[in-house]
Amino acid sequence: MTIPIRRRRRAVLAIAVAAALTVTACGSSKKNGGNNATGDKSAPGVTSDSILLGTTQPLTGPAAPGYSKISAAMKAYFAFVNDKGGVNGRKITLNVEDDGYNPANTATKTRKLVLQDKVFALVGALGTPTHTAVLDFVNQNKVPDLFVSSGSRSWNQPSKYPMTFGWQTDYTVEGKVLGDYIKKNFAGKTVCSFGQGDDFGTDGAQGVELTLGQGSLKSKQTYTPTNTNVAPQIGALKAAGCQVVVSFTVPGFTALALGTAAKLKYQPQWVISNVGSDIVTLQGFLKDATTPLLEGAVTDLYMPIPSDSSNSWIKLFQMVNEKYNSNVPFDGNVEYGMAMAYTTVQVLQEAGKDLTRGSLLAAVEKGGLTGPGLVPFRFSKTDHSGYGGTQIAVIHGGVAKLTGPVYTTDDKDAPLTEYTTAPAEAPASGLPG
Amino acid sequence: MSRFVFLTFNGLSFGAVYAAVALALVLIWRTTRVLNFAQGAMAMATAYVAISVSQATGSYWLGFAAALAAGIVLGAIVQLSAFRTAESMPPLNTIVVGVGLLIVIEAVVGMIYGIGYRDFPASFDTQTYSLGSTALFSDQDIFTVVSVLGLMLVLAALLTWTPSGLRMRASAFAPEIARLLGVRVSRMLTLGWALAGLVGALAGMLVIPSGLGLYPQAMDGVFVLGFTAAVVGGLDSPVGAVVGGIGTGLALSYASGYLGSDLTQIAALALLLVVLLARPSGLFSGTEARRV
Amino acid sequence: MRTLRDSTLLRHLLLLVIGVVLVIAMTATFSDYHNYELAQLGAYVCAAAGLTFLTGGNGQVSLGHAALMAIGGYTVALLQTRFSDHGVSGPWVLPVSLLVGMLVTAAAGALFGIAAARLRGPYLAGATLALGVALPGITSHYSGFFKGDQGLFVPFDGPPSGLGTGFTLQHWQAWISLFAALIVLFLLANLNRSAVGRHMRAVRDEEIASALCGLSVPRVQILAFAVSAAAAGLGGGVFAVWLQTASPGSFDLVLSLTLLSAVVIGGLGSLAGAVWGCLLVVYLGTFISDRVDDLGLSAASTAKLHDNLPSAVYGLLLIVVILALPGGIQGLLRRLLALRPRRGTSQPTRSTTQPTGGLS
């Protein structure tokens, strides 16, 4: 007898659903092409001749201006190293995923890198709000999370997040050094802050108040990267009579702040965090107004000035940029990417021929790494923070010039210490020792 | 006081843009009873046309003109292709078609141009004039308000005093009778869409320079606010669109200035709900009949 | 089997059991990454089911369902954080958070429903659109509490030890998400067949007549909003558990439009349609992106196509389906399997209000 319609329908629907899902599952597992190396449990992503690394970057979205060049620069340096034989005979591949500076996308893309691509380690994942979203996941899955591209203190929690390491100078440290400069050069003036509405902005403002004094910031304005109308905040700063504004902004928003202030006929002394002060990037927005708007602006640098062609590191990176990065305009972002790639290669080498996740972490925590930085790294078993200081630079005529001593300090209330050791020269071969 | 003055001029400038978007929506609603959800995306696409033409010819104003022309063409094409079928269907269908078109246009633009920010300069100087230490308005602000009002006056004159305008109004008001009297009703409807496309394109060219640059989602926020303005003013009323637009611009400017810039969208929602609670069909709506 | 044919509840219970068995079987064989994708599917299904219930079943368009999901997601995040801070744990913690998330969102939905009860057609669409865009702004303004763009962590216990050490976190997330979806589908299916469902369809199709028959139209509409919001709130809570964060970027306008696409393409008003639509939205996108990668074009071209081709396809499908195939995938399936139309059609038959151009 014929099966009743309803039962037939149920059966067909159930089979259809299961079939559809199985098909898609099979289909999507076939698609893992060349960028998915396998390995054993302690070293996924490592084979006898390759290492697979992953990173999440804002290739699009509000933080892309400037930052989108970092991953290309990293890849360029890795290509340079691969041409010279790689690290212990292994060539490095970097899988770059675009998260558009949106933490929701970061969560998805990071899972793709870890669960599907099965990378050996994450390197240089960019962004404070973005990477904070995946800290738990990455550490739960025991993936080495090296050199997060952000100055938040969240990356320096060795007991809670043992897999995660910072690299650049903390925003709190930056804030302390900037605040110290303000105390010495702009005493008595009203100081305010303009920062991103997350740990980036709050850490920076906190650092400034550690040296200038609690409550010394008269007005603390914030912005969200998804809202480009900053006129209300700049207007509020002007109304509060702020004469010095410390800004912890990504480059796009530094440009917006400077431009909006100019429109409002408001000319405070700008003190800009390193991450938002790259002149070439700002020129992309402000064009001819760049030089006048940045005149006298104060910022800080913990690596050589990108335009200083007499520096051995800049020479090395410019050579790599020419040959492996299509000779794009060389700026702070390219320098950042290559310097980070250099540190990555250093620790990979140090981890040895028998490369495992454990040996990689040990290599970082061993410390003693040198590089283009003006200050040393602070890596150790109990410190995952990265560079520990910075130096003030002032912008005149569209060019930044380092001034004053190099300072190191912690991200609590220790005083600033001068660091007088000269930075190391770049190795002749271009590869870490 | 100086903040209030600045916020007022800022609000008027943005308000003109919202009024333009609202007017485009009202034009389409009045002629074809369709709510064009893709209006913002269409304006964004014409802005990309402006970039391409400017780069090819080296002239900003040629690009500007090309954007307006593209707006006319795109408006007509969209109506002739997707919406002609949808016009006779329930309202939900036209909304969905509009949303679908929004998605398609943004995706296609992304495929051609990429989704990164494109540099999009303003038409005029954005430095503000000032009275003492009070910032007032810039050349760009003046251009925005003047061009939008000018276009509206031209459209109003077109609709009121020309034979084509009369035919358009007849096609919207009483299509069967107009057809009997020899009016090419479908052609008039397409013309309505084309004009709406023109107005939308102008809005895009005026407002996009105020952000970080041009990218496929650049007009989404403006569209939502223009939509709010149209709904507040009443979808049937062009006057309502203008008043709604300026009013929305001012209200949001004050809200973001005095309460905080993250509250802009919430202020818009509050404005919308308050107006609609009092008058569910907008401020300038007439009474409507419903088929039972 | 007459009892099955007569008893809606038994029929649905049987489907539920089949669903549970299917979920357990599939998640056991899938890899971690695929279970991760399944978890996303479950979250979408919860919200889409709610949306199709509201828009298809009651004729109220919602372009802001992601905002309702956000309310659920943030409630769960806040509760879970409080629980974790006070050291409370146990297998009942997460279900309680999800339930509270549902209730809070239902209340918010009812509130919005009250405000929107007098609105029709495009005005309602506009109000929901404004809601969808505005709600994430609250997280920026009260960024101290909601942590702004960064969002909140969602701590939750891993799989219970009784399931064995090989039971991964992704497997557990898939279970939570898919079981939640099955529960939502079960409840909404029963609601659809009940008096509530009939009232909703009556109001959708013939508002004036329903009022004349004694139905309180605003009350029915508010109820529909509340129920739909509850489903969306559960979806949002599950979404937050899946991503382990609740941030405004997860619940943006794109998500609202994606849900609408899923619901329309799958078949407006049909719960099975909601499932098809979500399957399409979750898997078609990755399928297309991967084909693009396989084409081996230049890096720039690949990036442009990879990000945008899936959206272009959805948009086109949306337009084509709504113009040519109003019943969506479910309607197509029904016709292919030559099935009788269900009692009490779930498709909207007419528009409710259509002010004529001539008389305004």
Side-chain angles (χ1 to χ4, degrees):
Chain A
M1 73 167 232
T2 52
I3 307 171
I5 287 181
R6 252 184 224 102
R7 248 198 266 174
R8 194 205 316 168
R9 182 208 315 176
R10 272 206 307 273
V12 166
L13 283 179
I15 294 170
V17 169
L21 284 166
T22 335
V23 161
T24 46
C26 294
S28 26
S29 63
K30 271 193 293 235
K31 69 183 181 285
N32 296 327
N35 280 342
N36 181 8
T38 49
D40 59 73
K41 267 281 151 86
S42 57
V46 172
T47 66
S48 55
D49 58 2
S50 72
I51 305 174
L52 183 64
L53 302 174
T55 185
T56 55
Q57 298 279 326
L59 299 178
T60 55
Y67 295 165
S68 56
K69 294 167 80 172
I70 295 177
S71 49
M74 288 169 77
K75 280 178 139 170
Y77 186 78
F78 288 145
F80 167 69
V81 167
N82 287 343
D83 266 2
K84 298 230 170 177
V87 175
N88 290 320
R90 295 185 174 100
K91 304 240 159 104
I92 304 173
T93 311
L94 180 67
N95 276 6
V96 181
E97 290 289 342
D98 175 22
D99 67 0
Y101 210 61
N102 179 348
N105 292 346
T106 317
T108 314
K109 294 293 166 82
T110 307
R111 279 171 181 73
K112 175 179 182 290
L113 288 169
V114 168
L115 297 176
Q116 190 177 33
D117 295 352
K118 297 202 176 36
V119 296
F120 175 58
L122 292 173
V123 174
L126 196 149
T128 308
T130 42
H131 201 67
T132 314
V134 296
L135 265 180
D136 276 332
F137 171 75
V138 167
N139 278 271
Q140 269 164 358
N141 281 274
K142 304 220 183 333
V143 181
D145 184 19
L146 302 182
F147 314 147
V148 181
S149 298
S150 137
S152 162
R153 287 170 297 166
S154 305
W155 327 131
N156 183 15
Q157 300 183 68
S159 45
K160 197 167 169 199
Y161 299 120
M163 301 278 132
T164 304
F165 295 81
W167 185 82
Q168 69 186 63
T169 307
D170 284 352
Y171 301 131
T172 322
V173 169
E174 260 193 278
K176 283 173 78 172
V177 175
L178 293 172
D180 175 75
Y181 185 81
I182 295 174
K183 194 153 97 168
K184 291 188 176 126
N185 291 277
F186 304 115
K189 298 215 170 155
T190 316
V191 186
C192 307
S193 75
F194 177 60
Q196 196 158 297
D198 54 30
D199 284 350
F200 172 22
T202 28
D203 278 5
Q206 216 170 47
V208 172
E209 286 195 319
L210 278 172
T211 40
L212 263 188
Q214 278 303 316
S216 53
L217 290 173
K218 181 162 180 212
S219 172
K220 293 188 200 165
Q221 295 294 317
T222 60
Y223 72 89
T224 27
T226 42
N227 182 356
T228 54
N229 181 21
V230 298
Q233 292 96 316
I234 305 295
L237 288 173
K238 183 179 174 189
C242 300
Q243 295 159 305
V244 179
V245 176
V246 190
S247 92
F248 288 91
T249 47
V250 295
F253 281 81
T254 312
L256 280 174
L258 290 170
T260 312
K263 266 197 269 178
L264 291 177
K265 300 279 191 289
Y266 171 52
Q267 284 167 326
Q269 168 64 49
W270 288 99
V271 177
I272 311 172
S273 151
N274 170 268
V275 300
S277 66
D278 181 64
I279 298 177
V280 174
T281 314
L282 290 174
Q283 219 161 28
F285 289 106
L286 300 169
K287 314 249 180 351
D288 294 333
T290 317
T291 309
L293 284 178
L294 282 176
E295 188 58 34
V298 173
T299 181
D300 68 288
L301 289 167
Y302 50 90
M303 283 197 292
I305 299 182
S307 49
D308 179 9
S309 314
S310 63
N311 182 287
S312 60
W313 292 97
I314 301 295
K315 275 203 258 226
L316 166 65
F317 292 151
Q318 273 175 342
M319 181 270 293
V320 173
N321 185 48
E322 218 178 281
K323 286 178 71 180
Y324 295 91
N325 203 18
S326 319
N327 205 15
V328 300
F330 188 87
D331 62 7
N333 301 297
V334 178
E335 183 191 12
Y336 184 96
M338 295 204 183
M340 180 180 286
Y342 180 86
T343 312
T344 309
V345 171
Q346 267 184 314
V347 295
L348 282 172
Q349 247 172 14
E350 185 62 38
K353 190 100 180 69
D354 187 15
L355 186 60
T356 63
R357 284 176 166 171
S359 69
L360 182 66
L361 294 175
V364 182
E365 287 182 334
K366 193 165 132 190
L369 299 169
T370 57
L374 302 174
V375 292
F377 284 116
R378 296 198 293 215
F379 292 129
S380 75
K381 266 207 158 41
T382 50
D383 193 323
H384 284 194
S385 57
Y387 281 125
T390 188
Q391 185 179 8
I392 294 288
V394 185
I395 303 177
H396 285 297
V399 176
K401 218 167 103 82
L402 290 164
T403 175
V406 179
Y407 288 115
T408 57
T409 182
D410 72 350
D411 47 29
K412 295 186 187 42
D413 44 20
L416 303 180
T417 335
E418 285 189 23
Y419 182 77
T420 46
T421 315
E425 290 289 312
S429 64
L431 293 161
Chain B
M1 187 60 200
S2 75
R3 269 194 96 188
F4 180 77
V5 169
F6 172 71
L7 288 175
T8 307
F9 283 117
N10 193 36
L12 283 173
S13 178
F14 276 104
V17 172
Y18 302 145
V21 175
L23 188 66
L25 290 171
V26 167
L27 264 172
I28 293 176
W29 175 261
R30 283 202 65 144
T31 50
T32 55
R33 274 284 172 272
V34 164
L35 198 54
N36 183 12
F37 265 86
Q39 191 65 50
M42 286 160 61
M44 172 273 297
T46 57
Y48 272 97
V49 169
I51 286 189
S52 291
V53 169
S54 299
Q55 275 174 355
T57 61
S59 155
Y60 174 82
W61 289 106
L62 261 176
F64 197 99
L68 298 182
I72 296 177
V73 169
L74 190 59
I77 291 178
V78 162
Q79 193 262 347
L80 288 171
S81 58
F83 282 97
R84 174 154 279 173
T85 332
E87 272 157 33
S88 49
M89 295 173 122
L92 176 65
N93 295 41
T94 58
I95 294 174
V96 172
V97 170
V99 170
L101 212 56
L102 171 100
I103 298 174
V104 167
I105 294 179
E106 287 184 5
V108 167
V109 167
M111 285 196 281
I112 302 176
Y113 292 94
I115 55 182
Y117 289 101
R118 288 287 185 120
D119 197 34
F120 204 81
S123 321
F124 288 93
D125 191 8
T126 51
Q127 283 295 314
T128 49
Y129 296 105
S130 49
L131 203 62
S133 68
T134 310
L136 296 174
F137 44 81
S138 64
D139 286 338
Q140 175 72 1
D141 289 334
I142 300 177
F143 176 61
T144 305
V145 176
V146 165
S147 59
V148 168
L149 283 179
L151 184 61
M152 286 179 190
L153 287 172
V154 166
L155 282 178
L158 194 85
L159 285 174
T160 328
W161 289 315
T162 63
S164 311
L166 181 60
R167 282 190 214 110
M168 264 189 69
R169 283 185 293 135
S171 308
F173 188 76
E176 293 85 6
I177 300 177
R179 220 172 260 131
L180 286 173
L181 289 172
V183 175
R184 298 275 203 98
V185 168
S186 53
R187 203 169 281 189
M188 289 297 116
L189 298 183
T190 310
L191 181 61
W193 273 76
L195 289 176
L198 170 66
V199 177
L202 177 66
M205 292 300 296
L206 293 172
V207 81
I208 292 172
S210 61
L212 275 175
L214 176 63
Y215 61 107
Q217 283 75 30
M219 284 297 282
D220 282 356
V222 177
F223 169 72
V224 173
L225 294 174
F227 191 171
T228 307
V231 165
V232 161
L235 278 175
D236 277 306
S237 163
V239 170
V242 176
V243 171
I246 306 274
T248 306
L250 285 173
L252 294 183
S253 184
Y254 295 138
S256 69
Y258 291 117
L259 298 175
S261 83
D262 0 315
L263 287 182
T264 316
Q265 308 287 9
I266 299 176
L269 176 66
L271 177 67
L272 186 73
L273 288 177
V274 163
V275 169
L276 290 182
L277 273 173
R279 291 185 65 87
S281 301
L283 285 172
F284 287 81
S285 58
T287 49
E288 15 178 276
R290 298 196 306 186
R291 283 221 180 86
V292 177
Chain C
M1 288 289 105
R2 191 159 296 163
T3 28
L4 271 181
R5 214 182 306 157
D6 292 342
S7 165
T8 308
L9 185 60
L10 275 182
R11 218 170 41 235
H12 288 165
L13 269 175
L14 186 61
L15 279 174
L16 181 64
V17 167
I18 294 178
V20 168
V21 167
L22 221 63
V23 164
I24 296 181
M26 277 194 308
T27 55
T29 54
F30 279 12
S31 72
D32 265 353
Y33 188 65
H34 291 129
N35 275 335
Y36 169 71
E37 280 181 320
L38 272 182
Q40 181 185 21
L41 179 72
Y44 277 22
V45 168
C46 291
L51 182 59
T52 206
F53 184 78
L54 180 69
T55 303
N58 191 231
Q60 296 190 82
V61 177
S62 169
L63 294 171
H65 246 55
L68 296 171
M69 286 180 81
I71 297 177
Y74 268 91
T75 310
V76 168
L78 287 167
L79 270 177
Q80 287 293 116
T81 317
R82 295 287 169 282
F83 279 141
S84 153
D85 284 346
H86 288 103
V88 181
S89 77
W92 55 271
V93 168
L94 189 57
V96 163
S97 300
L98 290 173
L99 188 66
V100 174
M102 261 179 86
L103 293 173
V104 169
T105 318
L111 214 66
F112 187 77
I114 293 174
R118 295 175 70 187
L119 303 179
R120 297 287 176 274
Y123 298 97
L124 179 62
T128 54
L129 181 67
L131 177 74
V133 166
L135 218 54
I138 297 184
T139 59
S140 312
H141 192 71
Y142 295 102
S143 56
F145 188 63
F146 291 109
K147 291 282 194 172
D149 263 19
Q150 203 164 287
L152 296 169
F153 273 133
V154 183
F156 63 98
D157 294 334
S161 45
L163 288 165
T165 46
F167 203 88
T168 62
L169 184 65
Q170 282 74 35
H171 197 161
W172 183 232
Q173 284 175 320
W175 271 28
I176 295 174
S177 163
L178 291 172
F179 288 150
L182 283 174
I183 292 174
V184 165
L185 289 172
F186 176 69
L187 291 174
L188 286 180
N190 286 339
L191 214 56
N192 256 334
R193 288 289 208 185
S194 71
V196 173
R198 285 194 291 275
H199 292 170
M200 280 179 30
R201 285 190 290 278
V203 165
R204 175 195 75 197
D205 293 335
E206 298 281 359
E207 200 180 308
I208 311 281
S210 317
L212 287 172
C213 286
L215 276 184
S216 164
V217 169
R219 204 171 288 179
V220 169
Q221 290 183 320
I222 293 169
L223 182 64
F225 240 108
V227 169
S228 174
L234 182 60
V238 167
F239 202 80
V241 165
W242 169 65
L243 274 183
Q244 291 174 281
T245 49
S247 67
S250 329
F251 302 108
D252 55 4
L253 182 63
V254 173
L255 181 59
S256 289
L257 297 182
T258 306
L259 286 172
L260 187 68
S261 314
V263 153
V264 169
I265 296 176
L268 196 57
S270 147
L271 288 173
V275 175
W276 307 143
C278 288
L279 273 172
L280 193 88
V281 155
V282 169
Y283 288 104
L284 186 62
T286 12
F287 182 77
I288 295 179
S289 301
D290 292 332
R291 292 302 140 266
V292 164
D293 289 340
D294 289 343
L295 282 177
L297 300 169
S298 75
S301 306
T302 310
K304 284 189 212 173
L305 284 176
H306 182 108
D307 295 325
N308 296 297
L309 195 54
S311 304
V313 170
Y314 292 146
L316 270 171
L317 267 176
L318 198 57
I319 299 176
V320 164
V321 164
I322 198 73
L323 290 179
L325 264 177
I329 296 179
Q330 178 66 358
L332 194 65
L333 275 178
R334 280 228 184 87
R335 267 186 281 169
L336 285 179
L337 294 175
L339 298 167
R340 287 196 319 268
R342 290 168 58 180
R343 282 176 290 156
T345 77
S346 49
Q347 307 302 321
T349 52
R350 292 183 30 183
S351 58
T352 44
T353 64
Q354 191 130 26
T356 54
L359 289 170
S360 55

